[in-house]
Amino acid sequence: RGYSRFVVAMSGDTGFFSGTKKLLPMLSDCDVCVLPGLSSMSYLCAKLGASYEDVVPVSIHGREGTILPLVRKNKRIFTLVGGENGMGKLCAGLAAEGLGHVKVSVGEQLSYPDERITVGLAKELKEQCFHSLSAALLENDRADTVVTHGLPDEAFERTESVPMTKSEVRAVCLSKLGLQADSICWDVGAGTGSVAIEMALQAEKGQVYAIERKDIAVELMRQNCRKLGADNVNVIAGLAPDACTQLPAPTHAFIGGSSGNMKEIVKLLLEKNPNVRIVATAITLESIGELTECMKAFGFDKTEVVSMSVARNKKAGPYNLMTGQNPIYIFTMQGGAQ
C-alpha cells in the first residue's frame, strides 16, 4: 500500500514454463513491462557453439510425463530437468529404452562461478549425479523421422490367442480418427496394443488409455509399449465400460472389441464427452448390427461406414498369389446427443 511501482523477479526464462504466464492476467489493470533475461537454452547452446533454430524445447522440471517419444522422433531437443538427480535418471531412462546413443550435453549452475557442462552419450552418463535443476541439449542422430502411421505388423510382439488390427486397417482407422498432438484417447479392447501405440506416437503430447480384459493381452501390450517407446500409453486391465468410469474424458476413441457391451461403451463415451470422435471396427454380422443400432440410437451429427477388403501376396513357388483377408467395416461417429 502506498507504492505505485513494483518489481516481480522471476527465475528462469519469462516465456518458457514460467510463472509469468499466470501472473500477467492478474495484473491486467496495471501497466506491465516484461524484461526478459538470457534463456538457459540460448546460453547453453552458445557455450556449446551450437545453433538452436531446429531445437524442440520442452521441460520436465516439476512436470509429469516423459520426453522419450520426442527424443526418439526428433534430432535435437532442449529440456529443463528437475528433481533429485533428474538428469541422471533421464539418461538411465534413455539407455533403458534403446536410446543410449543419444548425445547429452548437460548444463549445471549456468552463468555461476561453479558452472559445469558435461557432454557424453546417455549410456555413459546414466550413473553420474547432476544438480537438481539442470538444462540439457539432447541430440539423436538416429531419430525416427517417419511421421505417417501404419507400422508394419512385424513391429509388434504377437500371439495367436490375441487378435491384432492389421497395418492396412490400422492406417485407415487412424486417418478416420483425425488425432491431434494433445488428444486424449481411449482404445477399448486394445489386444496387442497396436492401435493404442500408434495413437500414442501420433498424439505425442496427449495420453492414451488402452482397456483390455485378457491378462495375456495386457502383458503383451505392455511389452509392445516398452519395445516401441510408447510411454504415454496407460494400460487399463478390465472390462469396458466398468473399467473406464474413472478415466478422463476422451477426445477420441477406438473400439476394436466390446465383448457385447457396445451400446454401454458408446453411451459412456458420450457422457464423458458429447463431441467425442469414435472409430469402431466390426467383422461379425452381430457387431455390425450393434454399431448400426448405436448410430441410430444416439443421434450422431456425423457418421460414416466404410467396407474394407484387403488382399496380400503369398508366395506359391515362383508365383505370387493374392490372399484375401477378412473383410471389415469401419464406423466413424461424432457429435452424439443423449
Side-chain angles (χ1 to χ4, degrees), residues 25-41:
M26 300 170 63
L27 304 176
S28 58
D29 295 334
C30 301
D31 183 11
V32 179
C33 178
V34 178
L35 301 175
L38 190 63
S39 74
S40 53
M41 181 170 70

Side-chain angles (χ1 to χ4, degrees), residues 41-42 45-46 49-57 74-78 137 139:
M41 181 170 70
S42 62
C45 287
S51 63
Y52 54 91
E53 68 265 13
D54 62 340
V55 170
V56 177
N74 296 279
K75 291 185 177 180
R76 304 177 77 216
I77 284 181
F78 170 83
L137 180 67
E139 298 175 276

